[in-house]
Amino acid sequence: MGLDACKYCFAAPVVVAMDLPLLGETEDPVAPRLAAAASPWPGLLRVYREMDDGELRFDIEAQTAATLGYTTNAFVAGPEARWDEGMRLLVRLSQGELSSRTKEAVLAGANRAAVEWAPGIWEVFQFRDAELVGERLYALTGLLRGVAGTEDAMAAGVLAEGARFVLLDGASVALPMDLSERGQMLNWRIGPTTKSPDSASYASLSGTFEARGLRPLSPVHVTGERSADRDIVIRWIRRTRIGGDDWDGVDVPLGEEKEAYALDLLHPVTGTLLRSVDVAAPEWTYQEADQIADLGTTSFDTLRLRVAQISQSVGRGTARETMIHV
């Protein structure tokens, strides 16, 4: 094959599908996000969905190459809702580049990225500083962790090197998916428009997705207060998946069909489940008689519990597990 003909030759793209929370109110909360890269970039990638009968159906097109890479050092769990100034994450890119942004720009949403803690489990985080320290190798510092309610992805311990990294800069596209397909294995073929889907220039992509964009965020500020009659009033503050950026409102929008929570009381030592209740408001009273039934006493000053908001579409959202003093 001559050199002129080879300008139409493309290797199969590198493709990543991510089950992410909502990062913008116009996003489809059900659809996973596709990020793709290729060298050279063919200008446009076509995405075909493989149907149950084996036929391929055209779904969407990807017009922009994503910035992809992998971590080269361990990534440890970090703090929530404040800057992580202690962690230095090393990322080697296969394509694209990273740049530093101001603190104000990051707080406004700049430099969002996703890193895969375990297969299909993505933490969204942000970085303030990006320093080129080697060939396509960046050191990321000034981090905001567990963005958009992904603190559950920060598993206890250490994430080993080699985790996939995706810059969430708008290059990804939504893979159409119905809510009824949640949890089912889905398959795609992705490649350049100049080639047929059965050619070696196409990549295969398979995965199951849980419509992460519909999952309620974990509650925060869980507290407990013991009354004079030895009952314990437990309270928390809910968060919202949508419309939570308006600081002028009295409260954030509910974001669900109705307000509902699941509260689990856990043994303070073993963590085994003692009691589970469903409530329609962000508080619940742990009565003295129930305390004695569960723990044999009311003479304790800490309580271990787990609370989650409930979605009518996907069930329990991300839970907040904590120890509270009463």
Side-chain angles (χ1 to χ4, degrees):
M1 182 179 292
L3 291 178
D4 289 341
C6 279
K7 68 180 179 180
Y8 300 107
C9 299
F10 298 102
V14 177
V15 293
V16 178
M18 301 169 288
D19 201 359
L20 297 179
L22 281 178
L23 299 177
E25 294 185 17
T26 61
E27 292 183 355
D28 182 348
V30 176
R33 306 296 301 186
L34 169 71
S39 183
W41 179 251
L44 196 65
L45 294 178
R46 280 188 175 165
V47 181
Y48 291 88
R49 170 81 173 271
E50 184 178 324
M51 309 308 292
D52 292 339
D53 59 5
E55 293 295 318
L56 294 176
R57 181 194 72 193
F58 171 72
D59 255 5
I60 55 169
E61 291 178 337
Q63 300 180 4
T64 307
T67 299
L68 306 180
Y70 59 91
T71 62
T72 66
N73 67 329
F75 198 25
V76 300
E80 297 178 45
R82 58 186 176 88
W83 293 99
D84 182 354
E85 300 289 2
M87 184 65 209
R88 181 174 184 260
L89 180 63
L90 297 176
V91 173
R92 189 177 300 278
L93 298 183
S94 57
Q95 181 170 312
E97 59 184 25
L98 304 175
S99 60
S100 299
R101 299 294 298 273
T102 65
K103 177 181 178 180
E104 292 74 19
V106 173
L107 292 174
N111 276 357
R112 282 178 177 161
V115 66
E116 191 177 30
W117 277 85
I121 307 299
W122 295 85
E123 178 195 351
V124 179
F125 73 101
Q126 293 174 262
F127 58 93
R128 186 185 61 235
D129 302 316
E131 180 187 1
L132 185 64
V133 295
E135 184 179 358
R136 305 191 314 277
L137 182 66
Y138 288 84
L140 307 183
T141 54
L143 309 180
L144 292 177
R145 306 294 303 278
V147 171
T150 58
E151 71 279 353
D152 60 315
M154 289 195 299
V158 176
L159 175 65
E161 62 184 73
R164 293 192 291 184
F165 168 93
V166 180
L167 182 66
L168 302 176
D169 59 352
S172 65
V173 295
L175 289 170
M177 187 182 95
D178 294 330
L179 183 57
S180 61
E181 296 173 315
R182 178 173 175 254
Q184 299 181 19
M185 179 62 69
L186 304 178
N187 304 287
W188 291 270
R189 292 279 292 170
I190 303 152
T193 58
T194 56
K195 300 294 182 179
S196 63
D198 59 354
S199 76
S201 297
Y202 269 67
S204 294
L205 176 66
S206 299
T208 59
F209 307 94
E210 297 298 327
R212 178 69 193 251
L214 288 176
R215 187 190 303 175
L217 306 188
S218 63
V220 294
H221 304 304
V222 185
T223 62
E225 183 179 5
R226 192 184 292 277
S227 63
D229 58 5
R230 306 299 294 171
D231 290 347
I232 300 173
V233 180
I234 301 169
R235 296 185 177 90
W236 56 90
I237 296 176
R238 65 174 174 81
R239 297 192 284 169
T240 185
R241 299 180 296 111
I242 56 176
D245 291 332
D246 185 0
W247 290 83
D248 295 328
V250 176
D251 200 356
V252 296
L254 178 61
E256 309 299 334
E257 293 182 13
K258 65 178 183 179
E259 189 165 10
Y261 305 91
L263 175 67
D264 296 334
L265 293 171
L266 309 173
H267 190 281
V269 178
T270 65
T272 55
L273 180 65
L274 299 175
R275 181 181 296 266
S276 184
V277 296
D278 292 334
V279 296
E283 69 173 57
W284 179 72
T285 299
Y286 193 16
Q287 296 182 349
E288 179 185 22
D290 293 333
Q291 298 172 44
I292 294 173
D294 294 340
L295 296 166
T297 181
T298 62
S299 298
F300 54 86
D301 55 11
T302 60
L303 196 59
R304 186 173 178 180
L305 57 87
R306 180 171 55 222
V307 60
Q309 190 172 359
I310 297 175
S311 161
Q312 298 303 300
S313 300
V314 298
R316 286 194 181 198
T318 303
R320 174 73 57 182
E321 184 170 334
T322 186
M323 295 281 289
I324 60 174
H325 294 276
V326 296

